[in-house]
Coordinates of all heavy atoms in Angstrom, one line a residue:
M1 N 15.6 -13.2 -0.2 CA 14.2 -13.3 0.1 C 13.5 -14.2 -0.9 O 13.9 -14.3 -2.0 CB 13.5 -12.0 0.1 CG 13.8 -11.0 1.2 SD 12.8 -9.6 1.1 CE 14.0 -8.3 0.8
D2 N 12.5 -14.9 -0.4 CA 11.7 -15.8 -1.3 C 10.5 -15.0 -1.9 O 10.2 -15.3 -3.0 CB 11.1 -16.9 -0.4 CG 12.2 -17.9 0.1 OD1 13.2 -18.0 -0.6 OD2 12.1 -18.4 1.2
V3 N 9.9 -14.1 -1.2 CA 8.8 -13.4 -1.7 C 8.8 -11.9 -1.3 O 9.3 -11.5 -0.2 CB 7.5 -13.9 -1.0 CG1 6.2 -13.2 -1.5 CG2 7.3 -15.4 -1.3
V4 N 8.4 -11.0 -2.2 CA 8.3 -9.6 -2.0 C 6.8 -9.2 -2.2 O 6.3 -9.5 -3.3 CB 9.2 -8.8 -2.9 CG1 8.9 -7.3 -2.8 CG2 10.7 -9.0 -2.5
F5 N 6.2 -8.5 -1.2 CA 4.9 -7.9 -1.4 C 5.2 -6.4 -1.6 O 5.6 -5.7 -0.6 CB 4.0 -8.2 -0.2 CG 3.6 -9.6 0.0 CD1 4.4 -10.4 0.8 CD2 2.6 -10.1 -0.7 CE1 4.1 -11.8 0.9 CE2 2.2 -11.5 -0.6 CZ 3.0 -12.3 0.2
D6 N 5.0 -5.9 -2.7 CA 5.4 -4.5 -3.0 C 4.1 -3.6 -3.2 O 3.4 -3.7 -4.2 CB 6.2 -4.4 -4.3 CG 6.4 -3.0 -4.8 OD1 6.7 -2.1 -4.0 OD2 6.1 -2.8 -6.0
G7 N 3.9 -2.8 -2.2 CA 2.9 -1.8 -2.2 C 3.4 -0.4 -2.5 O 2.6 0.6 -2.5
V8 N 4.7 -0.2 -2.7 CA 5.3 1.1 -2.8 C 5.6 1.4 -4.3 O 5.4 2.5 -4.8 CB 6.6 1.2 -2.0 CG1 7.3 2.5 -2.2 CG2 6.2 0.9 -0.5
G9 N 6.2 0.4 -5.0 CA 6.6 0.7 -6.4 C 7.8 1.5 -6.5 O 8.6 1.6 -5.5
G10 N 8.1 2.1 -7.7 CA 9.2 3.0 -7.9 C 10.5 2.3 -7.6 O 10.7 1.1 -7.8
A11 N 11.5 3.2 -7.2 CA 12.8 2.7 -6.9 C 12.9 1.7 -5.8 O 13.7 0.7 -5.9 CB 13.7 3.9 -6.6
L12 N 12.1 1.8 -4.8 CA 12.1 0.8 -3.7 C 11.7 -0.6 -4.2 O 12.3 -1.6 -3.8 CB 11.1 1.2 -2.6 CG 11.3 0.4 -1.3 CD1 12.7 0.5 -0.7 CD2 10.3 0.9 -0.3
A13 N 10.8 -0.7 -5.2 CA 10.4 -2.0 -5.8 C 11.6 -2.6 -6.5 O 11.9 -3.8 -6.4 CB 9.3 -1.8 -6.7
G14 N 12.4 -1.7 -7.2 CA 13.6 -2.2 -7.9 C 14.6 -2.8 -6.9 O 15.2 -3.8 -7.1
E15 N 14.8 -2.1 -5.7 CA 15.7 -2.6 -4.7 C 15.2 -3.9 -4.1 O 16.0 -4.8 -3.9 CB 15.9 -1.5 -3.6 CG 16.6 -0.3 -4.1 CD 16.8 0.7 -3.0 OE1 16.9 0.4 -1.8 OE2 16.7 2.0 -3.3
A16 N 13.9 -4.0 -3.9 CA 13.4 -5.2 -3.3 C 13.5 -6.4 -4.3 O 13.9 -7.5 -3.9 CB 11.9 -5.0 -3.0
F17 N 13.3 -6.1 -5.6 CA 13.5 -7.1 -6.6 C 15.0 -7.7 -6.6 O 15.2 -8.9 -6.7 CB 13.2 -6.6 -8.0 CG 13.4 -7.5 -9.1 CD1 12.5 -8.6 -9.3 CD2 14.5 -7.4 -9.9 CE1 12.8 -9.5 -10.4 CE2 14.8 -8.3 -10.9 CZ 13.9 -9.4 -11.2
G18 N 15.9 -6.8 -6.4 CA 17.3 -7.2 -6.3 C 17.6 -8.1 -5.1 O 18.6 -8.8 -5.2
L19 N 16.8 -8.0 -4.1 CA 17.0 -8.9 -2.9 C 16.4 -10.3 -3.1 O 16.6 -11.1 -2.2 CB 16.4 -8.2 -1.7 CG 17.1 -6.9 -1.3 CD1 16.3 -6.2 -0.2 CD2 18.6 -7.1 -0.9
L20 N 15.5 -10.4 -4.1 CA 14.9 -11.7 -4.3 C 15.9 -12.8 -4.7 O 16.7 -12.5 -5.5 CB 13.8 -11.6 -5.4 CG 12.4 -11.2 -4.9 CD1 11.5 -11.0 -6.2 CD2 11.8 -12.3 -4.1
R21 N 15.7 -14.0 -4.2 CA 16.5 -15.1 -4.6 C 16.0 -15.5 -6.0 O 14.8 -15.2 -6.4 CB 16.4 -16.3 -3.7 CG 15.0 -17.0 -3.7 CD 15.1 -18.3 -3.0 NE 13.8 -18.9 -2.9 CZ 13.2 -19.6 -3.9 NH1 13.8 -19.7 -5.0 NH2 12.0 -20.1 -3.7
D22 N 16.8 -16.1 -6.8 CA 16.4 -16.7 -8.1 C 15.3 -17.7 -7.8 O 15.4 -18.5 -6.9 CB 17.6 -17.4 -8.8 CG 18.6 -16.4 -9.3 OD1 18.3 -15.2 -9.2 OD2 19.6 -16.8 -9.8
G23 N 14.2 -17.6 -8.6 CA 13.1 -18.5 -8.4 C 12.1 -17.9 -7.4 O 11.1 -18.6 -7.1
G24 N 12.3 -16.7 -6.9 CA 11.4 -16.1 -5.9 C 10.1 -15.6 -6.6 O 9.9 -15.7 -7.8
R25 N 9.3 -14.9 -5.8 CA 8.1 -14.3 -6.3 C 7.9 -12.9 -5.8 O 8.3 -12.5 -4.7 CB 6.9 -15.1 -5.8 CG 6.8 -16.5 -6.3 CD 5.5 -17.2 -5.9 NE 5.5 -18.5 -6.5 CZ 5.2 -19.6 -5.8 NH1 4.9 -19.5 -4.5 NH2 5.2 -20.7 -6.4
M26 N 7.4 -12.0 -6.7 CA 7.2 -10.6 -6.4 C 5.7 -10.2 -6.7 O 5.4 -10.3 -7.9 CB 8.2 -9.7 -7.1 CG 8.0 -8.3 -6.7 SD 9.4 -7.3 -7.3 CE 9.0 -5.7 -6.7
L27 N 5.0 -9.8 -5.7 CA 3.6 -9.4 -5.9 C 3.6 -7.8 -5.8 O 4.0 -7.3 -4.8 CB 2.7 -9.9 -4.9 CG 1.3 -9.4 -4.8 CD1 0.5 -9.6 -6.1 CD2 0.5 -9.9 -3.6
S28 N 3.3 -7.2 -6.9 CA 3.3 -5.7 -7.0 C 1.8 -5.2 -7.0 O 1.1 -5.6 -8.0 CB 4.1 -5.3 -8.2 OG 4.1 -3.9 -8.3
Y29 N 1.4 -4.5 -6.0 CA 0.0 -4.1 -5.9 C -0.2 -2.6 -5.6 O -1.4 -2.2 -5.5 CB -0.7 -4.9 -4.9 CG -0.2 -4.8 -3.5 CD1 -0.6 -3.8 -2.7 CD2 0.8 -5.7 -3.1 CE1 -0.1 -3.7 -1.4 CE2 1.4 -5.5 -1.8 CZ 0.9 -4.5 -1.0 OH 1.5 -4.4 0.3
G30 N 0.8 -1.8 -5.5 CA 0.6 -0.4 -5.2 C 1.7 0.5 -5.7 O 2.7 0.1 -6.2
L31 N 1.4 1.8 -5.6 CA 2.4 2.8 -6.1 C 2.5 3.9 -5.1 O 2.5 5.1 -5.5 CB 2.0 3.3 -7.5 CG 0.7 4.0 -7.7 CD1 0.8 4.9 -9.0 CD2 -0.5 3.1 -7.8
A32 N 2.6 3.6 -3.8 CA 2.7 4.6 -2.8 C 3.9 5.5 -3.1 O 3.9 6.7 -2.7 CB 2.8 4.0 -1.4
G33 N 4.9 5.0 -3.8 CA 6.1 5.8 -4.1 C 5.9 6.7 -5.3 O 6.8 7.4 -5.7
G34 N 4.8 6.7 -5.9 CA 4.5 7.6 -7.0 C 4.4 6.9 -8.4 O 3.8 7.4 -9.3
T35 N 5.0 5.7 -8.5 CA 5.0 5.0 -9.8 C 4.9 3.5 -9.5 O 5.3 3.0 -8.5 CB 6.3 5.3 -10.6 OG1 7.4 4.8 -9.9 CG2 6.4 6.7 -11.0
W36 N 4.4 2.8 -10.5 CA 4.3 1.3 -10.4 C 5.7 0.8 -10.5 O 6.7 1.4 -11.0 CB 3.5 0.8 -11.6 CG 2.1 1.1 -11.6 CD1 1.4 1.9 -12.4 CD2 1.1 0.6 -10.7 NE1 0.1 2.0 -12.1 CE2 -0.1 1.2 -11.0 CE3 1.1 -0.3 -9.6 CZ2 -1.3 0.9 -10.4 CZ3 -0.1 -0.6 -9.0 CH2 -1.3 0.0 -9.3
A37 N 5.9 -0.4 -9.9 CA 7.2 -1.1 -10.0 C 7.5 -1.3 -11.5 O 6.7 -1.7 -12.3 CB 7.1 -2.5 -9.3
D38 N 8.8 -1.0 -11.9 CA 9.2 -1.1 -13.2 C 10.2 -2.2 -13.3 O 11.4 -2.0 -13.5 CB 9.8 0.3 -13.7 CG 10.1 0.2 -15.2 OD1 9.5 -0.6 -15.9 OD2 10.9 1.1 -15.6
I39 N 9.7 -3.4 -13.2 CA 10.6 -4.6 -13.3 C 10.5 -5.2 -14.7 O 9.4 -5.5 -15.2 CB 10.2 -5.7 -12.3 CG1 10.1 -5.1 -10.9 CG2 11.1 -6.9 -12.3 CD1 11.3 -4.5 -10.3
D40 N 11.7 -5.3 -15.3 CA 11.7 -5.9 -16.7 C 11.4 -7.4 -16.6 O 12.1 -8.2 -16.0 CB 13.1 -5.7 -17.2 CG 13.3 -6.1 -18.7 OD1 12.5 -7.0 -19.2 OD2 14.2 -5.6 -19.4
P41 N 10.3 -7.7 -17.3 CA 9.8 -9.1 -17.3 C 10.9 -10.1 -17.8 O 11.0 -11.2 -17.3 CB 8.6 -9.2 -18.2 CG 8.1 -7.8 -18.1 CD 9.3 -6.9 -18.0
S42 N 11.7 -9.7 -18.8 CA 12.7 -10.6 -19.3 C 13.8 -10.8 -18.2 O 14.4 -11.9 -18.2 CB 13.3 -10.0 -20.6 OG 14.0 -8.8 -20.4
V43 N 14.2 -9.8 -17.4 CA 15.1 -10.0 -16.4 C 14.6 -10.9 -15.3 O 15.3 -11.8 -14.8 CB 15.5 -8.6 -15.8 CG1 16.4 -8.8 -14.5 CG2 16.2 -7.7 -16.8
A44 N 13.3 -10.7 -15.0 CA 12.7 -11.6 -14.0 C 12.7 -13.1 -14.5 O 13.0 -14.0 -13.8 CB 11.3 -11.2 -13.7
A45 N 12.3 -13.2 -15.8 CA 12.3 -14.6 -16.4 C 13.6 -15.2 -16.3 O 13.8 -16.4 -16.1 CB 11.7 -14.5 -17.8
A46 N 14.7 -14.5 -16.6 CA 16.0 -15.0 -16.7 C 16.4 -15.5 -15.3 O 17.2 -16.5 -15.2 CB 17.0 -14.0 -17.2
R47 N 15.9 -14.9 -14.2 CA 16.2 -15.3 -12.9 C 15.2 -16.3 -12.3 O 15.3 -16.7 -11.2 CB 16.3 -14.1 -12.0 CG 17.4 -13.2 -12.3 CD 17.6 -12.1 -11.3 NE 17.4 -12.5 -9.9 CZ 16.9 -11.8 -8.9 NH1 16.5 -10.5 -9.1 NH2 16.8 -12.2 -7.7
G48 N 14.2 -16.6 -13.1 CA 13.1 -17.5 -12.7 C 12.2 -16.9 -11.7 O 11.5 -17.6 -10.9
V49 N 12.2 -15.6 -11.6 CA 11.3 -14.9 -10.7 C 9.9 -14.7 -11.3 O 9.7 -14.3 -12.4 CB 11.9 -13.5 -10.3 CG1 10.9 -12.7 -9.5 CG2 13.2 -13.6 -9.6
T50 N 8.9 -15.1 -10.5 CA 7.5 -14.9 -10.9 C 7.0 -13.5 -10.5 O 7.1 -13.2 -9.3 CB 6.6 -16.0 -10.2 OG1 7.1 -17.3 -10.6 CG2 5.2 -15.8 -10.7
L51 N 6.6 -12.7 -11.5 CA 6.0 -11.4 -11.2 C 4.5 -11.5 -11.2 O 3.9 -12.0 -12.2 CB 6.5 -10.4 -12.2 CG 7.9 -10.1 -12.3 CD1 8.2 -9.1 -13.4 CD2 8.4 -9.5 -11.0
V52 N 3.9 -11.1 -10.2 CA 2.4 -11.0 -10.1 C 2.0 -9.6 -10.0 O 2.4 -8.9 -9.1 CB 1.9 -11.8 -8.9 CG1 0.4 -11.8 -8.9 CG2 2.4 -13.3 -8.9
R53 N 1.2 -9.1 -11.0 CA 0.8 -7.7 -11.1 C -0.7 -7.7 -11.3 O -1.2 -8.4 -12.1 CB 1.5 -7.0 -12.2 CG 3.0 -7.0 -12.1 CD 3.6 -6.3 -13.3 NE 5.0 -6.2 -13.2 CZ 5.8 -5.9 -14.1 NH1 5.4 -5.8 -15.4 NH2 7.1 -5.8 -13.9
G54 N -1.3 -6.8 -10.5 CA -2.8 -6.6 -10.8 C -3.0 -5.6 -11.9 O -2.1 -5.2 -12.6
T55 N -4.2 -5.2 -12.0 CA -4.6 -4.2 -12.9 C -3.9 -2.9 -12.6 O -3.8 -2.5 -11.4 CB -6.1 -3.9 -12.9 OG1 -6.7 -5.2 -13.2 CG2 -6.5 -2.9 -13.9
R56 N -3.3 -2.2 -13.5 CA -2.6 -1.0 -13.3 C -3.3 0.2 -14.0 O -3.1 0.4 -15.2 CB -1.2 -1.1 -13.8 CG -0.4 -2.1 -12.9 CD 1.0 -2.2 -13.4 NE 1.7 -3.0 -12.4 CZ 3.0 -3.0 -12.3 NH1 3.8 -2.3 -13.1 NH2 3.6 -3.8 -11.5
P57 N -4.2 0.9 -13.3 CA -4.9 2.0 -14.0 C -3.9 3.1 -14.5 O -2.9 3.3 -13.9 CB -5.8 2.6 -12.9 CG -5.7 1.6 -11.7 CD -4.5 0.8 -11.9
S58 N -4.3 3.7 -15.5 CA -3.6 4.9 -16.0 C -3.7 6.1 -15.1 O -4.6 6.0 -14.2 CB -4.0 5.3 -17.4 OG -5.4 5.8 -17.3
T59 N -2.9 7.1 -15.3 CA -3.0 8.3 -14.5 C -4.4 8.9 -14.5 O -5.0 9.3 -13.5 CB -2.0 9.3 -14.9 OG1 -0.7 8.7 -14.8 CG2 -2.0 10.6 -14.0
S60 N -5.0 9.0 -15.7 CA -6.3 9.6 -15.9 C -7.4 8.7 -15.2 O -8.3 9.2 -14.6 CB -6.7 9.8 -17.3 OG -6.7 8.6 -18.0
E61 N -7.2 7.4 -15.3 CA -8.1 6.5 -14.6 C -8.0 6.6 -13.1 O -9.0 6.6 -12.3 CB -7.9 5.0 -15.0 CG -8.3 4.7 -16.4 CD -7.8 3.3 -16.8 OE1 -6.7 2.9 -16.4 OE2 -8.6 2.7 -17.6
M62 N -6.8 6.8 -12.6 CA -6.6 7.0 -11.1 C -7.2 8.3 -10.7 O -7.9 8.3 -9.6 CB -5.1 7.0 -10.8 CG -4.4 5.7 -10.9 SD -4.9 4.5 -9.7 CE -4.0 5.2 -8.2
R63 N -7.1 9.3 -11.4 CA -7.7 10.6 -11.1 C -9.2 10.5 -11.0 O -9.9 11.0 -10.1 CB -7.3 11.7 -12.1 CG -6.0 12.2 -11.9 CD -5.7 13.5 -12.8 NE -4.3 13.9 -12.6 CZ -3.4 13.9 -13.6 NH1 -3.7 13.5 -14.8 NH2 -2.2 14.2 -13.3
S64 N -9.8 9.8 -12.0 CA -11.2 9.6 -12.0 C -11.7 8.8 -10.8 O -12.7 9.1 -10.2 CB -11.6 8.8 -13.3 OG -13.0 8.5 -13.3
L65 N -11.0 7.7 -10.5 CA -11.3 6.9 -9.3 C -11.2 7.7 -8.0 O -12.1 7.6 -7.2 CB -10.4 5.7 -9.2 CG -10.6 4.6 -10.3 CD1 -9.5 3.6 -10.3 CD2 -12.0 3.9 -10.2
V66 N -10.2 8.5 -7.9 CA -10.0 9.3 -6.7 C -11.1 10.3 -6.6 O -11.7 10.6 -5.5 CB -8.6 10.0 -6.6 CG1 -8.5 11.1 -5.6 CG2 -7.5 8.9 -6.4
S67 N -11.5 11.0 -7.7 CA -12.6 11.9 -7.7 C -13.9 11.3 -7.3 O -14.6 11.9 -6.5 CB -12.7 12.5 -9.1 OG -11.6 13.3 -9.4
E68 N -14.1 10.1 -7.8 CA -15.3 9.4 -7.4 C -15.4 9.1 -5.9 O -16.4 9.3 -5.2 CB -15.5 8.1 -8.2 CG -16.7 7.3 -8.0 CD -16.8 6.1 -8.8 OE1 -16.2 6.0 -9.9 OE2 -17.5 5.1 -8.3
V69 N -14.3 8.6 -5.4 CA -14.2 8.3 -3.9 C -14.4 9.6 -3.1 O -15.1 9.6 -2.1 CB -12.8 7.7 -3.6 CG1 -12.6 7.6 -2.1 CG2 -12.8 6.2 -4.2
L70 N -13.8 10.7 -3.5 CA -13.9 11.9 -2.7 C -15.4 12.4 -2.8 O -15.9 13.0 -1.8 CB -13.0 13.0 -3.3 CG -11.5 12.7 -3.0 CD1 -10.6 13.8 -3.7 CD2 -11.2 12.6 -1.5
V71 N -16.0 12.3 -3.9 CA -17.5 12.7 -4.0 C -18.3 11.9 -3.0 O -19.1 12.4 -2.3 CB -18.0 12.6 -5.4 CG1 -19.5 12.7 -5.5 CG2 -17.4 13.7 -6.3
R72 N -18.1 10.6 -3.1 CA -18.8 9.7 -2.2 C -18.6 10.0 -0.7 O -19.5 10.0 0.1 CB -18.5 8.2 -2.5 CG -19.1 7.7 -3.8 CD -18.8 6.3 -4.0 NE -19.2 5.9 -5.3 CZ -19.3 4.7 -5.7 NH1 -18.9 3.7 -4.9 NH2 -19.7 4.4 -6.9
A73 N -17.3 10.3 -0.4 CA -17.0 10.7 1.0 C -17.7 12.0 1.4 O -18.2 12.1 2.5 CB -15.5 10.8 1.2
A74 N -17.7 12.9 0.5 CA -18.3 14.2 0.8 C -19.8 14.1 1.0 O -20.5 14.8 1.7 CB -18.0 15.2 -0.3
E75 N -20.4 13.1 0.3 CA -21.8 12.8 0.4 C -22.2 12.0 1.6 O -23.4 11.8 1.9 CB -22.3 12.1 -0.9 CG -22.3 12.9 -2.2 CD -22.5 12.1 -3.4 OE1 -22.5 10.9 -3.4 OE2 -22.8 12.7 -4.5
G76 N -21.2 11.5 2.3 CA -21.4 10.7 3.5 C -21.7 9.3 3.1 O -22.1 8.5 4.0
R77 N -21.4 8.9 1.9 CA -21.7 7.5 1.5 C -20.5 6.6 1.7 O -20.6 5.4 1.5 CB -22.1 7.5 0.0 CG -23.4 8.2 -0.3 CD -23.7 8.4 -1.7 NE -23.4 7.2 -2.6 CZ -23.1 7.3 -3.9 NH1 -23.1 8.5 -4.5 NH2 -22.9 6.2 -4.6
L78 N -19.4 7.2 2.1 CA -18.2 6.4 2.3 C -17.6 6.9 3.6 O -17.2 8.0 3.7 CB -17.2 6.6 1.1 CG -15.9 5.9 1.2 CD1 -16.1 4.4 1.0 CD2 -15.0 6.5 0.1
R79 N -17.4 5.9 4.5 CA -16.9 6.3 5.8 C -15.8 5.3 6.2 O -16.0 4.1 6.2 CB -18.0 6.3 6.8 CG -19.0 7.4 6.6 CD -20.0 7.4 7.7 NE -21.0 8.4 7.3 CZ -22.1 8.6 7.9 NH1 -22.4 7.9 8.9 NH2 -23.0 9.5 7.4
P80 N -14.6 5.8 6.6 CA -13.6 4.9 7.0 C -13.9 4.2 8.4 O -14.7 4.8 9.2 CB -12.4 5.8 7.2 CG -12.9 7.1 7.4 CD -14.2 7.2 6.7
V81 N -13.4 3.1 8.6 CA -13.6 2.4 9.9 C -12.5 2.9 10.8 O -11.3 2.8 10.5 CB -13.4 0.9 9.7 CG1 -13.4 0.2 11.1 CG2 -14.5 0.3 8.8
I82 N -12.9 3.6 11.9 CA -12.0 4.1 12.9 C -12.0 3.1 14.0 O -12.9 3.0 14.8 CB -12.4 5.5 13.3 CG1 -12.3 6.4 12.1 CG2 -11.4 6.0 14.4 CD1 -12.9 7.8 12.4
G83 N -10.9 2.3 14.1 CA -10.8 1.3 15.1 C -10.4 1.7 16.4 O -10.8 1.1 17.4
Q84 N -9.5 2.7 16.5 CA -9.0 3.1 17.8 C -8.5 4.6 17.7 O -8.2 5.1 16.6 CB -7.9 2.2 18.3 CG -6.8 2.0 17.2 CD -7.1 1.0 16.2 OE1 -7.7 -0.1 16.5 NE2 -6.8 1.2 14.9
R85 N -8.5 5.2 18.9 CA -8.1 6.6 19.0 C -7.1 6.7 20.1 O -7.2 6.0 21.1 CB -9.2 7.5 19.3 CG -10.3 7.5 18.2 CD -11.6 8.3 18.7 NE -12.6 8.2 17.8 CZ -12.9 9.1 16.9 NH1 -12.2 10.2 16.8 NH2 -13.9 8.9 16.1
F86 N -6.0 7.5 19.9 CA -5.0 7.7 20.9 C -4.8 9.2 21.1 O -4.8 9.9 20.1 CB -3.7 7.1 20.5 CG -3.7 5.6 20.5 CD1 -4.1 4.9 19.4 CD2 -3.2 4.9 21.6 CE1 -4.1 3.5 19.4 CE2 -3.1 3.5 21.6 CZ -3.6 2.8 20.5
P87 N -4.7 9.7 22.3 CA -4.3 11.1 22.5 C -2.8 11.3 21.9 O -2.1 10.3 21.9 CB -4.3 11.3 24.0 CG -4.3 10.0 24.6 CD -4.8 9.0 23.6
L88 N -2.5 12.5 21.5 CA -1.2 12.7 20.8 C -0.1 12.3 21.7 O 0.9 11.7 21.2 CB -1.1 14.2 20.5 CG 0.2 14.6 19.7 CD1 0.3 13.8 18.4 CD2 0.2 16.0 19.4
E89 N -0.2 12.5 23.0 CA 0.9 12.1 23.9 C 1.1 10.6 24.0 O 2.1 10.1 24.5 CB 0.7 12.7 25.3 CG -0.6 12.3 26.0 CD -1.7 13.2 25.7 OE1 -1.6 14.1 24.9 OE2 -2.8 13.1 26.4
R90 N 0.2 9.8 23.4 CA 0.4 8.4 23.4 C 0.7 7.9 21.9 O 0.4 6.7 21.6 CB -0.9 7.7 23.9 CG -1.0 7.8 25.4 CD -2.1 6.9 26.0 NE -2.0 5.6 25.6 CZ -3.1 4.8 25.3 NH1 -4.3 5.3 25.4 NH2 -2.9 3.6 24.9
A91 N 1.3 8.7 21.1 CA 1.6 8.4 19.7 C 2.4 7.1 19.7 O 2.2 6.3 18.8 CB 2.3 9.6 19.1
A92 N 3.4 7.0 20.6 CA 4.2 5.8 20.6 C 3.4 4.5 20.7 O 3.6 3.5 20.1 CB 5.3 5.9 21.7
D93 N 2.4 4.6 21.6 CA 1.5 3.4 21.8 C 0.7 3.1 20.5 O 0.5 2.0 20.1 CB 0.5 3.7 22.9 CG 1.2 3.8 24.3 OD1 2.3 3.2 24.4 OD2 0.6 4.4 25.2
A94 N 0.3 4.2 19.8 CA -0.5 4.0 18.6 C 0.4 3.3 17.5 O 0.0 2.4 16.9 CB -1.0 5.4 18.0
H95 N 1.6 3.8 17.4 CA 2.6 3.2 16.5 C 2.8 1.7 16.8 O 2.9 0.8 15.9 CB 3.9 4.0 16.4 CG 3.8 5.2 15.6 ND1 4.0 5.3 14.3 CD2 3.5 6.5 16.0 CE1 3.8 6.5 13.9 NE2 3.5 7.3 14.9
A96 N 3.0 1.4 18.1 CA 3.2 0.1 18.5 C 2.1 -0.8 18.2 O 2.2 -2.0 17.8 CB 3.5 0.0 20.0
A97 N 0.8 -0.3 18.4 CA -0.4 -1.1 18.1 C -0.4 -1.4 16.6 O -0.7 -2.5 16.2 CB -1.6 -0.4 18.5
I98 N -0.1 -0.4 15.7 CA -0.1 -0.6 14.3 C 0.9 -1.6 13.9 O 0.7 -2.6 13.2 CB 0.1 0.7 13.5 CG1 -1.1 1.6 13.8 CG2 0.3 0.5 12.0 CD1 -0.9 3.1 13.3
E99 N 2.2 -1.4 14.4 CA 3.3 -2.3 14.0 C 3.0 -3.7 14.5 O 3.4 -4.7 13.9 CB 4.6 -1.8 14.6 CG 5.1 -0.5 13.9 CD 6.2 0.1 14.6 OE1 6.9 -0.5 15.5 OE2 6.5 1.3 14.3
G100 N 2.3 -3.9 15.7 CA 2.0 -5.2 16.2 C 0.8 -5.8 15.6 O 0.4 -6.9 16.0
R101 N 0.2 -5.1 14.6 CA -1.0 -5.6 13.9 C -2.1 -5.9 14.9 O -2.9 -6.8 14.8 CB -0.7 -6.8 13.1 CG 0.4 -6.5 12.0 CD 0.4 -7.6 11.0 NE 1.4 -7.4 10.0 CZ 1.2 -6.7 8.9 NH1 0.0 -6.2 8.6 NH2 2.1 -6.5 8.0
A102 N -2.2 -5.0 15.9 CA -3.3 -5.1 16.9 C -4.4 -4.2 16.7 O -5.2 -3.8 17.6 CB -2.7 -4.9 18.3
T103 N -4.5 -3.7 15.4 CA -5.5 -2.7 15.1 C -6.4 -3.2 14.0 O -6.1 -4.1 13.2 CB -4.8 -1.4 14.6 OG1 -4.1 -1.7 13.4 CG2 -3.8 -0.8 15.6
V104 N -7.6 -2.5 13.9 CA -8.6 -2.7 12.9 C -9.0 -1.4 12.3 O -9.2 -0.5 13.1 CB -9.8 -3.5 13.4 CG1 -10.9 -3.6 12.4 CG2 -9.5 -4.8 14.0
G105 N -9.0 -1.2 11.0 CA -9.4 0.1 10.5 C -8.3 1.1 10.7 O -7.1 0.8 10.8
K106 N -8.7 2.4 10.8 CA -7.8 3.5 10.9 C -7.5 3.7 12.4 O -8.3 3.6 13.3 CB -8.4 4.8 10.3 CG -8.7 4.6 8.8 CD -7.4 4.4 8.0 CE -7.7 4.2 6.6 NZ -6.5 3.8 5.8
T107 N -6.3 4.2 12.6 CA -5.9 4.6 14.0 C -5.7 6.1 14.0 O -5.0 6.6 13.1 CB -4.5 3.9 14.4 OG1 -4.7 2.5 14.3 CG2 -4.1 4.3 15.7
L108 N -6.4 6.8 14.9 CA -6.3 8.2 14.9 C -5.5 8.7 16.1 O -5.6 8.2 17.2 CB -7.7 8.8 15.0 CG -8.7 8.5 13.9 CD1 -10.0 9.3 14.1 CD2 -8.1 8.9 12.5
L109 N -4.8 9.8 15.9 CA -4.1 10.5 17.0 C -5.0 11.8 17.2 O -5.2 12.5 16.3 CB -2.7 10.9 16.6 CG -1.7 9.8 16.5 CD1 -0.4 10.4 16.1 CD2 -1.6 9.1 17.8
E110 N -5.5 12.0 18.4 CA -6.3 13.1 18.7 C -5.5 14.2 19.2 O -4.7 14.1 20.2 CB -7.4 12.7 19.7 CG -8.4 11.7 19.2 CD -9.4 11.3 20.1 OE1 -9.2 11.3 21.4 OE2 -10.5 10.9 19.7
V111 N -5.7 15.4 18.6 CA -5.0 16.6 19.0 C -6.1 17.6 19.5 O -7.0 17.9 18.8 CB -4.3 17.3 17.8 CG1 -3.6 18.5 18.3 CG2 -3.3 16.3 17.2
R112 N -6.0 18.0 20.8 CA -7.0 18.9 21.3 C -6.4 20.1 21.9 O -5.4 20.1 22.4 CB -7.8 18.1 22.4 CG -8.5 16.9 21.8 CD -9.7 16.6 22.4 NE -10.2 15.4 21.7 CZ -11.4 15.0 21.7 NH1 -12.3 15.7 22.4 NH2 -11.8 14.0 21.1

């Protein structure tokens, strides 16, 4: 691969890094897997791989940010954009729309 966009981090980021060609680029922006990507900069440099990393908040900073967001949501000051709704029996259609990038905002499955 020429480029990796890593929003997961952790072990998956390490696997993705291994798939990069020498001289490739890796953008690491998330830790959905629970930890930031732990790519050794010297290993990347030896392969000519450019690592692009944003700000990485500490665990305590992340907790503070999440707490702030939850307070705002509870106060009604933060509302997600709900772009589309599907009844549960059309879950496959919802997944297809997300995968096809035909959605805006959040996609909800309605259970009644």
